Amino acid sequence: MQAHTIFNNKMSNKVSRIENTASMGALLLDAGKISARDAERIIALQKQKGMLFGDAAKLLGLVNDDDIQRALSYQFDFPFLSTSEESFSQELVAAYQPMSPQVEALRAVRGQLMLRWFTDVHKTLTLVSLGRGEGRSLMAANLAIVFSQLGERTLLIDADLRQPRQHTLFKLQSVYGLSDVLAGRADLTVITRIPAFRDLSILPAGTVPPNPVELISRGLKSCLRELQAQFDVILIDTPPAEQAIDAQIVAANCGGALLVVRQHKTRMNDLELLKDALHDTGSQCLGVVLTDF
């Protein structure tokens, strides 16, 4: 998934990598990627060629880029998953490909939101799209991961009580979620902490109810008030705006919305109407993210 941001200003983040030879070797040893004898060969080549330990290990064919990235993630306390792992959907590029151009674009969105929205006053943000298939749920999930990688206590809420998707992306087994909390059938202990990431939790949609609009209208505001005391960043996935009014109600409770549109699919006239509708609810439109996939 490619993401392009449309904001007043542009900013980019560069990831600097500094490799410590001893700790890199120790990590690769501890992970079983190399043996003590391999380490001696690597060090000899490293001295001969003036290379970094990881580069020398790769040149000898003992490790691959994935192994090096995993070691770096431990060195810098930066959560990173091997593409061979199947803990989550491979569509979560922020989890499996943190150095990719797509994730750099996500970090640019994160940077803009940190500057423009997430402060002591604002902690919640709604992600809104016109229709399905425009990348809204994927954007919400991946954006939540990059916020957690920054060290922000991050909560992703699936408020699409019609056709939820976050439990599938994160492969959650929980039966209960937001709808059950709003209906009084469960409490906030149904929030699932994701151990693979430093500060990421998920509140799935839960049971698909017959009355999603009523549930959100009468209970979401107080629920968010309680959650804001526990988290720094709360991102909320919603149903498509053309399908139901749920997204507008959620955005009104959050005060801010990020629009997700798909290249060559979303119509500009419809987008303008959606922006006006959000404005009428008192919600501020912070920007537009254009997906291309």
Side-chain angles (χ1 to χ4, degrees), residues 11 14 17 29 35 42 44 73 81 84 89 91 103 109 115-116 138-139 149 155 157 168 199 207 227 229 237 256 291:
M11 65 182 296
K14 295 182 179 179
R17 297 184 225 170
L29 276 168
S35 66
I42 295 167
S73 75
L81 300 179
S84 63
S89 167
E91 293 177 288
V103 182
V109 176
L115 289 172
R116 298 170 182 273
L138 276 179
M139 178 59 60
Q149 290 169 338
L155 174 65
I157 299 176
T168 301
D199 289 295
T207 308
L227 290 170
D237 190 10
T291 62

Side-chain angles (χ1 to χ4, degrees), residues 3 17 24-25 39 68-69 80 93 98 122 135 170 174 195 198 222 242:
R17 297 184 225 170
M24 173 64 71
I68 299 300
Q69 292 293 346
F80 172 81
V93 292
H122 299 126
F170 286 92
S174 176
R198 185 188 309 164
S222 60
E242 66 182 13

Side-chain angles (χ1 to χ4, degrees), residues 8 34 41 61 83 87 104 111 131-132 136 159 188 192 204 263-264:
N8 292 332
I34 61 173
R41 293 174 58 201
T83 53
S87 303
E104 285 297 322
R132 294 203 179 275
R136 181 198 64 258
L188 292 176
T192 300
Q263 190 173 17
H264 305 309

